[in-house]
Amino acid sequence: MDISVYRPGELSSADRAAWTSMQSKAHLQGSPELANPFLSPEFTLAVGRCRRGVRIAVVREGGEPAAFFPFQRTASGVGRAIGLGVSDAQGAVHRPGFTWEARELLKACGLAVWEFDHLVEGQAAFAAEASGTFPSPVMDVDQGYEAYLTQLRERSPKFTRTTLAKERKLGRDHDGVRYVHDERDPAALRTLMAWKSAQYRRTGRSDRFAQAWITLLAEQLFHTRSEPFAGILSVLYAGGRPIAAHFGLRTERVLACWFPAYDPAFSKYSPGLVLHLRMAEAAAADGIAYLDLGRGQKEYKDSLKTRELLVS
């Protein structure tokens, strides 16, 4: 293998275009998991603006890119998946049929070890060393929102009935209920991050937004727009104020769910669930194939999902 390692700013526009092309064709070539936004060049470049040691290995065959392997490297040669701790899909983006030897690739990257916790399927060279495999639930909307809602009613009839009833009650109790799928007001992002920080603390979890680089990363990605990648902030409003919001990343066919939160004052309406149904409806209309809810055992994910992917 011909392997070259670049800093983020050194990646050529031609290589970046080849990377994006591999992702856009992945679903046609039997590797739909490679279309995840966390595997996009835009995510790697954004992490590179927030963290040291970001590198991209480009593997070429016949002079043409065959695979892209982004990673973070410490001075001692410890490698980590890009954005480890906040990235929900990890691995190498490659063209159909390409195989590699893990140790050969790591050696070329100057790595003694590579750590991952959300390795996508189809990465046989890395999966051989995985310590466990976990479900990552998804909401399929490729057949349209009504088809998704029909599946949801069949799988979780009580959940669906209750959630839709709460949405109707929200509309009766509060004027001006509206949903914005792609909100561009940075103030709404700050509101979401404040809600999420409070939720982390309330539930005894580490506050991710207390880490400056994660806050900066979210802000960077909020302002990132390319073809077909974008940071998408979705907001549910009632009475002129936001009551639930979600910030995620999208590619042409995948919306990766990332940071959802809501105003606890509106909890009786389950605004987070209402928001996810509105997101599914808007994503379907926008040509998205599925929403990836991400690894993690949560009751709301089990209720909303149509199937599961696997990460290692």
Side-chain angles (χ1 to χ4, degrees):
M1 293 188 292
D2 174 16
I3 305 173
S4 301
V5 178
Y6 302 95
R7 296 175 184 271
E10 298 170 345
L11 193 69
S12 72
S13 58
D15 281 343
R16 186 168 163 177
W19 187 344
T20 298
S21 178
M22 285 180 191
Q23 285 197 291
S24 67
K25 297 175 182 177
H27 69 287
L28 301 173
Q29 298 170 336
S31 302
E33 66 279 350
L34 297 182
N36 193 289
F38 289 105
L39 296 175
S40 295
E42 290 87 353
F43 183 73
T44 292
L45 296 176
V47 174
R49 290 190 287 270
C50 304
R51 303 286 275 171
R52 289 183 171 183
V54 171
R55 301 289 185 271
I56 303 152
V58 182
V59 186
R60 304 181 196 278
E61 290 183 334
E64 296 297 322
F68 295 87
F69 175 58
F71 60 93
Q72 291 174 249
R73 182 186 185 278
T74 67
S76 60
V78 173
R80 297 184 176 90
I82 283 292
L84 187 70
V86 294
S87 61
D88 289 347
Q90 300 156 1
V93 176
H94 57 88
R95 68 188 186 191
F98 177 76
T99 59
W100 65 94
E101 205 285 316
R103 284 170 177 78
E104 180 184 356
L105 178 58
L106 296 192
K107 183 178 179 180
C109 295
L111 300 179
V113 62
W114 182 62
E115 301 173 5
F116 56 83
D117 62 3
H118 284 77
L119 184 73
V120 298
E121 295 178 88
Q123 307 270 317
F126 295 137
E129 305 296 335
S131 60
T133 301
F134 307 89
S136 185
V138 304
M139 302 163 64
D140 289 298
V141 294
D142 55 327
Q143 300 302 310
Y145 177 67
E146 291 304 322
Y148 165 73
L149 206 56
T150 297
Q151 288 188 65
L152 198 63
R153 286 191 174 103
E154 292 172 353
R155 285 191 67 258
S156 309
K158 182 179 178 181
F159 166 83
T160 309
R161 186 169 57 252
T162 300
T163 303
L164 294 176
K166 288 181 177 180
E167 181 178 17
R168 290 192 294 271
K169 181 170 174 54
L170 174 65
R172 290 194 301 270
D173 293 350
H174 298 274
D175 293 330
V177 174
R178 63 187 179 94
Y179 169 74
V180 179
H181 186 60
D182 187 10
E183 175 63 81
R184 303 311 300 155
D185 183 357
L189 180 64
R190 292 192 293 271
T191 297
L192 168 60
M193 291 193 287
W195 285 342
K196 198 67 181 176
S197 288
Q199 179 191 341
Y200 286 138
R201 295 191 298 270
R202 190 169 61 246
T203 57
R205 297 176 60 194
S206 174
D207 180 3
R208 288 180 173 177
F209 290 115
Q211 301 182 57
W213 78 268
I214 295 178
T215 296
L216 179 59
L217 177 63
E219 291 170 347
Q220 291 265 353
L221 290 166
F222 174 74
H223 293 290
T224 298
R225 298 260 144 168
S226 65
E227 185 62 44
F229 181 98
I232 300 293
L233 176 63
S234 301
V235 184
L236 183 66
Y237 291 91
R241 59 185 279 194
I243 65 168
H246 167 269
F247 181 63
L249 309 175
R250 70 154 292 173
T251 50
E252 185 177 354
R253 291 176 52 81
V254 182
L255 174 58
C257 298
W258 203 13
F259 293 115
Y262 61 87
D263 184 345
F266 288 79
S267 59
K268 70 178 182 180
Y269 301 104
S270 297
L273 296 176
V274 173
L275 175 73
H276 275 78
L277 292 183
R278 293 287 187 98
M279 285 166 53
E281 183 176 22
D286 207 21
I288 293 290
Y290 64 87
L291 290 76
D292 189 339
L293 295 170
R295 168 186 162 186
Q297 293 297 317
K298 298 283 181 63
E299 185 177 351
Y300 82 91
K301 294 182 181 182
D302 285 338
S303 298
L304 290 167
K305 73 182 181 183
T306 53
R307 61 185 173 96
E308 293 173 340
L309 305 176
L310 294 174
V311 294
S312 301

